[in-house]
Amino acid sequence: MQRLGLLATFFSTLFISSQSLAEYKKGDYIVRVGAAAVDPKDDSDNLYLNGTELPDTRVYVDTGYSVNFTGTWLFADHWGLGLLAALPFKHDLDVRGLPDPDTGEPLGKVRLGDIKHLPPTLTLQWYPVCTESWVQPYIGVGINYTHFFSEHINRATQNYFETVLGAESRARLKLDNSWGLAGEVGIDVTLGRENRWLFNAAVWYLDIDTEADIHFHTGADDSSRIHVDVDIDPFVFSLGIGYHF
């Protein structure tokens, strides 16, 4: 009986100790790294060429992949500030509905070019479990800033601008940077009762709206502009590992 009592005391002490390692409490930090996919739920208005609407045209934004980094500072029990950062995501852009140079009929989806972006996002996070479990779900709301760069026009599209629209210079693509709301849902699972390493799965929704412009010269003193409003509005999916300080 005494041995059983000692054994029970040992396991209860181990359980309490493991909870103290796993618990999330005020002043803690959690850092994570993972593989991420940005999956746009994209839509766009019709394209405008020098102010003239091109009916039944639109732009598509393909899925991009990269490595993401997140950090959380728990400024109170159950509450934290989370920051999402990443290496650049690259997305291919497609366009539909441009007139065929031979028949004049609308073309199907063709490659327009590609872009890169960085999506730093700050969220206020709520951890409903916090100190009671080594499985830590969380939700967050916040704000996203998306910086676009390295915009590039496809060679075949450049040839199209030259042949059909009279471009006499390299076309330049530019996307405006975007501010928008963000939401996230995630979960941390500690990798063992006496381990500060963890597995993380998370998904964000980012409100990303931008204006895209393409400029090219059509003569010594003349230029053309293609303009379109694009809603990217992606879900960002991430799987990775982290460490709890």
Side-chain angles (χ1 to χ4, degrees), residues 108-124:
K109 187 189 293 186
V110 296
R111 181 60 46 83
L112 173 62
D114 56 74
I115 60 169
K116 293 181 180 178
H117 78 86
L118 293 170
T121 302
L122 182 66
T123 53
L124 174 65

PDB file of all heavy atoms in Angstrom, residues 108-124:
ATOM      1  N   GLY A 108      -8.964  32.984 -74.197  1.00  0.00           N
ATOM      2  CA  GLY A 108      -9.161  32.366 -72.893  1.00  0.00           C
ATOM      3  C   GLY A 108      -8.100  32.842 -71.917  1.00  0.00           C
ATOM      4  O   GLY A 108      -7.443  33.863 -72.130  1.00  0.00           O
ATOM      5  N   LYS A 109      -7.912  32.107 -70.852  1.00  0.00           N
ATOM      6  CA  LYS A 109      -6.936  32.492 -69.826  1.00  0.00           C
ATOM      7  C   LYS A 109      -5.514  32.313 -70.356  1.00  0.00           C
ATOM      8  O   LYS A 109      -5.144  31.226 -70.801  1.00  0.00           O
ATOM      9  CB  LYS A 109      -7.140  31.654 -68.569  1.00  0.00           C
ATOM     10  CG  LYS A 109      -6.276  32.097 -67.387  1.00  0.00           C
ATOM     11  CD  LYS A 109      -6.352  31.110 -66.228  1.00  0.00           C
ATOM     12  CE  LYS A 109      -7.700  31.066 -65.583  1.00  0.00           C
ATOM     13  NZ  LYS A 109      -7.695  30.208 -64.362  1.00  0.00           N
ATOM     14  N   VAL A 110      -4.731  33.380 -70.323  1.00  0.00           N
ATOM     15  CA  VAL A 110      -3.335  33.334 -70.751  1.00  0.00           C
ATOM     16  C   VAL A 110      -2.466  33.966 -69.670  1.00  0.00           C
ATOM     17  O   VAL A 110      -2.940  34.771 -68.865  1.00  0.00           O
ATOM     18  CB  VAL A 110      -3.127  34.062 -72.100  1.00  0.00           C
ATOM     19  CG1 VAL A 110      -3.887  33.371 -73.214  1.00  0.00           C
ATOM     20  CG2 VAL A 110      -3.537  35.520 -72.002  1.00  0.00           C
ATOM     21  N   ARG A 111      -1.192  33.627 -69.655  1.00  0.00           N
ATOM     22  CA  ARG A 111      -0.278  34.135 -68.649  1.00  0.00           C
ATOM     23  C   ARG A 111      -0.014  35.629 -68.862  1.00  0.00           C
ATOM     24  O   ARG A 111       0.314  36.065 -69.964  1.00  0.00           O
ATOM     25  CB  ARG A 111       1.023  33.351 -68.684  1.00  0.00           C
ATOM     26  CG  ARG A 111       2.082  33.755 -67.649  1.00  0.00           C
ATOM     27  CD  ARG A 111       1.610  33.606 -66.213  1.00  0.00           C
ATOM     28  NE  ARG A 111       0.951  32.360 -65.960  1.00  0.00           N
ATOM     29  CZ  ARG A 111       1.589  31.215 -65.691  1.00  0.00           C
ATOM     30  NH1 ARG A 111       2.910  31.190 -65.660  1.00  0.00           N
ATOM     31  NH2 ARG A 111       0.916  30.117 -65.459  1.00  0.00           N
ATOM     32  N   LEU A 112      -0.184  36.409 -67.790  1.00  0.00           N
ATOM     33  CA  LEU A 112       0.106  37.841 -67.826  1.00  0.00           C
ATOM     34  C   LEU A 112       1.518  38.122 -67.323  1.00  0.00           C
ATOM     35  O   LEU A 112       2.258  38.912 -67.905  1.00  0.00           O
ATOM     36  CB  LEU A 112      -0.915  38.605 -66.986  1.00  0.00           C
ATOM     37  CG  LEU A 112      -0.670  40.098 -66.790  1.00  0.00           C
ATOM     38  CD1 LEU A 112      -0.693  40.831 -68.132  1.00  0.00           C
ATOM     39  CD2 LEU A 112      -1.692  40.693 -65.825  1.00  0.00           C
ATOM     40  N   GLY A 113       1.892  37.478 -66.220  1.00  0.00           N
ATOM     41  CA  GLY A 113       3.203  37.707 -65.634  1.00  0.00           C
ATOM     42  C   GLY A 113       3.268  37.097 -64.250  1.00  0.00           C
ATOM     43  O   GLY A 113       2.567  36.122 -63.944  1.00  0.00           O
ATOM     44  N   ASP A 114       4.090  37.668 -63.381  1.00  0.00           N
ATOM     45  CA  ASP A 114       4.180  37.177 -62.008  1.00  0.00           C
ATOM     46  C   ASP A 114       4.580  38.320 -61.087  1.00  0.00           C
ATOM     47  O   ASP A 114       5.096  39.352 -61.526  1.00  0.00           O
ATOM     48  CB  ASP A 114       5.168  36.012 -61.891  1.00  0.00           C
ATOM     49  CG  ASP A 114       6.560  36.360 -62.408  1.00  0.00           C
ATOM     50  OD1 ASP A 114       7.286  37.100 -61.715  1.00  0.00           O
ATOM     51  OD2 ASP A 114       6.911  35.896 -63.505  1.00  0.00           O
ATOM     52  N   ILE A 115       4.306  38.131 -59.804  1.00  0.00           N
ATOM     53  CA  ILE A 115       4.596  39.129 -58.774  1.00  0.00           C
ATOM     54  C   ILE A 115       5.138  38.424 -57.542  1.00  0.00           C
ATOM     55  O   ILE A 115       4.995  37.210 -57.378  1.00  0.00           O
ATOM     56  CB  ILE A 115       3.329  39.930 -58.383  1.00  0.00           C
ATOM     57  CG1 ILE A 115       2.257  38.971 -57.833  1.00  0.00           C
ATOM     58  CG2 ILE A 115       2.808  40.742 -59.551  1.00  0.00           C
ATOM     59  CD1 ILE A 115       1.072  39.663 -57.186  1.00  0.00           C
ATOM     60  N   LYS A 116       5.744  39.210 -56.655  1.00  0.00           N
ATOM     61  CA  LYS A 116       6.102  38.725 -55.324  1.00  0.00           C
ATOM     62  C   LYS A 116       5.481  39.663 -54.289  1.00  0.00           C
ATOM     63  O   LYS A 116       5.194  40.829 -54.591  1.00  0.00           O
ATOM     64  CB  LYS A 116       7.623  38.689 -55.150  1.00  0.00           C
ATOM     65  CG  LYS A 116       8.323  37.661 -56.018  1.00  0.00           C
ATOM     66  CD  LYS A 116       9.832  37.655 -55.777  1.00  0.00           C
ATOM     67  CE  LYS A 116      10.527  36.629 -56.652  1.00  0.00           C
ATOM     68  NZ  LYS A 116      11.999  36.639 -56.458  1.00  0.00           N
ATOM     69  N   HIS A 117       5.259  39.126 -53.100  1.00  0.00           N
ATOM     70  CA  HIS A 117       4.721  39.984 -52.035  1.00  0.00           C
ATOM     71  C   HIS A 117       5.154  39.480 -50.665  1.00  0.00           C
ATOM     72  O   HIS A 117       5.520  38.312 -50.490  1.00  0.00           O
ATOM     73  CB  HIS A 117       3.196  40.069 -52.117  1.00  0.00           C
ATOM     74  CG  HIS A 117       2.481  38.863 -51.569  1.00  0.00           C
ATOM     75  ND1 HIS A 117       2.172  38.724 -50.238  1.00  0.00           N
ATOM     76  CD2 HIS A 117       2.004  37.760 -52.169  1.00  0.00           C
ATOM     77  CE1 HIS A 117       1.531  37.587 -50.049  1.00  0.00           C
ATOM     78  NE2 HIS A 117       1.428  36.977 -51.205  1.00  0.00           N
ATOM     79  N   LEU A 118       5.127  40.405 -49.701  1.00  0.00           N
ATOM     80  CA  LEU A 118       5.331  40.107 -48.287  1.00  0.00           C
ATOM     81  C   LEU A 118       4.080  40.533 -47.531  1.00  0.00           C
ATOM     82  O   LEU A 118       3.576  41.638 -47.742  1.00  0.00           O
ATOM     83  CB  LEU A 118       6.556  40.839 -47.743  1.00  0.00           C
ATOM     84  CG  LEU A 118       7.909  40.388 -48.293  1.00  0.00           C
ATOM     85  CD1 LEU A 118       9.002  41.352 -47.851  1.00  0.00           C
ATOM     86  CD2 LEU A 118       8.233  38.979 -47.826  1.00  0.00           C
ATOM     87  N   PRO A 119       3.567  39.669 -46.621  1.00  0.00           N
ATOM     88  CA  PRO A 119       2.285  39.950 -45.970  1.00  0.00           C
ATOM     89  C   PRO A 119       2.371  40.131 -44.456  1.00  0.00           C
ATOM     90  O   PRO A 119       1.690  39.409 -43.698  1.00  0.00           O
ATOM     91  CB  PRO A 119       1.482  38.687 -46.287  1.00  0.00           C
ATOM     92  CG  PRO A 119       2.532  37.591 -46.174  1.00  0.00           C
ATOM     93  CD  PRO A 119       3.858  38.208 -46.549  1.00  0.00           C
ATOM     94  N   PRO A 120       3.198  41.030 -43.900  1.00  0.00           N
ATOM     95  CA  PRO A 120       3.243  41.143 -42.435  1.00  0.00           C
ATOM     96  C   PRO A 120       1.862  41.424 -41.849  1.00  0.00           C
ATOM     97  O   PRO A 120       1.134  42.291 -42.332  1.00  0.00           O
ATOM     98  CB  PRO A 120       4.206  42.313 -42.200  1.00  0.00           C
ATOM     99  CG  PRO A 120       4.227  43.066 -43.492  1.00  0.00           C
ATOM    100  CD  PRO A 120       4.024  42.054 -44.567  1.00  0.00           C
ATOM    101  N   THR A 121       1.525  40.683 -40.798  1.00  0.00           N
ATOM    102  CA  THR A 121       0.184  40.749 -40.214  1.00  0.00           C
ATOM    103  C   THR A 121       0.284  40.742 -38.692  1.00  0.00           C
ATOM    104  O   THR A 121       0.966  39.891 -38.114  1.00  0.00           O
ATOM    105  CB  THR A 121      -0.667  39.544 -40.680  1.00  0.00           C
ATOM    106  OG1 THR A 121      -0.729  39.541 -42.115  1.00  0.00           O
ATOM    107  CG2 THR A 121      -2.074  39.609 -40.113  1.00  0.00           C
ATOM    108  N   LEU A 122      -0.397  41.673 -38.053  1.00  0.00           N
ATOM    109  CA  LEU A 122      -0.417  41.774 -36.593  1.00  0.00           C
ATOM    110  C   LEU A 122      -1.819  41.432 -36.100  1.00  0.00           C
ATOM    111  O   LEU A 122      -2.810  41.986 -36.604  1.00  0.00           O
ATOM    112  CB  LEU A 122      -0.038  43.185 -36.154  1.00  0.00           C
ATOM    113  CG  LEU A 122       0.039  43.442 -34.641  1.00  0.00           C
ATOM    114  CD1 LEU A 122       1.186  42.651 -34.020  1.00  0.00           C
ATOM    115  CD2 LEU A 122       0.204  44.939 -34.367  1.00  0.00           C
ATOM    116  N   THR A 123      -1.917  40.525 -35.116  1.00  0.00           N
ATOM    117  CA  THR A 123      -3.216  40.102 -34.608  1.00  0.00           C
ATOM    118  C   THR A 123      -3.251  40.114 -33.084  1.00  0.00           C
ATOM    119  O   THR A 123      -2.237  39.883 -32.419  1.00  0.00           O
ATOM    120  CB  THR A 123      -3.579  38.679 -35.088  1.00  0.00           C
ATOM    121  OG1 THR A 123      -2.519  37.777 -34.765  1.00  0.00           O
ATOM    122  CG2 THR A 123      -3.831  38.656 -36.587  1.00  0.00           C
ATOM    123  N   LEU A 124      -4.431  40.361 -32.561  1.00  0.00           N
ATOM    124  CA  LEU A 124      -4.735  40.172 -31.144  1.00  0.00           C
ATOM    125  C   LEU A 124      -5.293  38.767 -30.992  1.00  0.00           C
ATOM    126  O   LEU A 124      -6.322  38.432 -31.591  1.00  0.00           O
ATOM    127  CB  LEU A 124      -5.745  41.207 -30.667  1.00  0.00           C
ATOM    128  CG  LEU A 124      -6.264  41.046 -29.236  1.00  0.00           C
ATOM    129  CD1 LEU A 124      -5.144  41.243 -28.227  1.00  0.00           C
ATOM    130  CD2 LEU A 124      -7.419  42.008 -28.964  1.00  0.00           C
TER     131      LEU A 124
END
